[in-house]
Amino acid sequence: MSDDQNKLQSGDDLALDALSEASQATPALEAGEDFDADDEVTKSNQLAATLASLQGVIERNAQHLETIEHEMKEKREALKNVFENDSQLEAAETQAKETSNKVKERRSQLQSDPQVTSLKVQIGELSQQKKEIEETLSNHLVNYYSITNSKSFDTSDGDQWEFSVKAKVKSRKK
């Protein structure tokens, strides 16, 4: 092949050509066919040329890869600099931090407000009452179900109120 043809072929094409030439030369040698010395030297020179071409293709691709990686690094750095050096973005981030700090500060102030503290205590008390009533109601509904085998009860105004029965496994006693 001439240099013009090598330039037109891609690196992958050159590599495939080199490998096919090398694999064609090897079976003849392995088969034990008789070659004269000139034929062997020619085949050896072709193999050496093929390997040299393949190494050249590999080296060019590796260098091209390094160039692209270097360009990517520079572009990423430039992109990072655009964001770091944008005054409007910096002002917006500063404002967002200030606003966030104001929100945290206000929440903290409200947490210590007597009205908030009182409401939290009341919610806790109501939550405890709810839990106790639910336990008691659950026990009564289980008893009602065991007696009537019904999952609803009649209300004083004539309606029916449905309920579900749940079983819960407690932890083992050791």
Side-chain angles (χ1 to χ4, degrees), residues 32-63:
E33 294 178 11
D34 290 333
F35 289 106
D36 59 24
D38 289 340
D39 203 21
E40 275 189 53
V41 168
T42 304
K43 294 282 185 187
S44 178
N45 288 342
Q46 286 177 343
L47 181 59
T50 299
L51 286 175
S53 295
L54 183 57
Q55 286 174 337
V57 168
I58 290 170
E59 183 180 355
R60 281 192 303 276
N61 282 334
Q63 288 172 345

Side-chain angles (χ1 to χ4, degrees), residues 59-164:
E59 183 180 355
R60 281 192 303 276
N61 282 334
Q63 288 172 345
H64 191 229
L65 180 62
E66 281 184 339
T67 303
I68 289 174
E69 287 173 343
H70 181 71
E71 283 183 42
M72 285 177 65
K73 183 178 179 181
E74 288 177 348
K75 300 295 181 195
R76 285 186 179 124
E77 191 67 32
L79 181 62
K80 180 181 170 187
N81 288 337
V82 167
F83 281 93
E84 288 178 350
N85 296 326
D86 186 77
S87 60
Q88 289 178 340
L89 178 61
E90 186 178 344
E93 285 176 342
T94 302
Q95 186 178 4
K97 286 178 186 175
E98 289 173 0
T99 303
S100 176
N101 288 338
K102 287 180 183 177
V103 167
K104 288 177 187 175
E105 186 179 317
R106 185 63 187 151
R107 276 191 199 280
S108 177
Q109 289 172 352
L110 289 175
Q111 292 290 346
S112 61
D113 183 82
Q115 183 183 4
V116 170
T117 305
S118 173
L119 288 170
K120 281 184 171 182
V121 168
Q122 291 172 4
I123 289 171
E125 289 172 354
L126 289 171
S127 178
Q128 185 62 34
Q129 286 178 14
K130 176 186 172 201
K131 192 177 198 179
E132 290 171 1
I133 291 173
E134 284 175 339
E135 272 184 40
T136 303
L137 182 58
S138 178
N139 289 335
H140 291 307
L141 288 172
V142 167
N143 288 337
Y144 181 83
Y145 176 75
S146 65
I147 294 170
T148 64
N149 210 21
S150 172
K151 291 185 181 179
S152 64
F153 60 91
D154 295 330
T155 62
S156 58
D157 60 0
D159 288 337
Q160 288 219 329
W161 202 332
E162 293 186 11
F163 63 92
S164 62

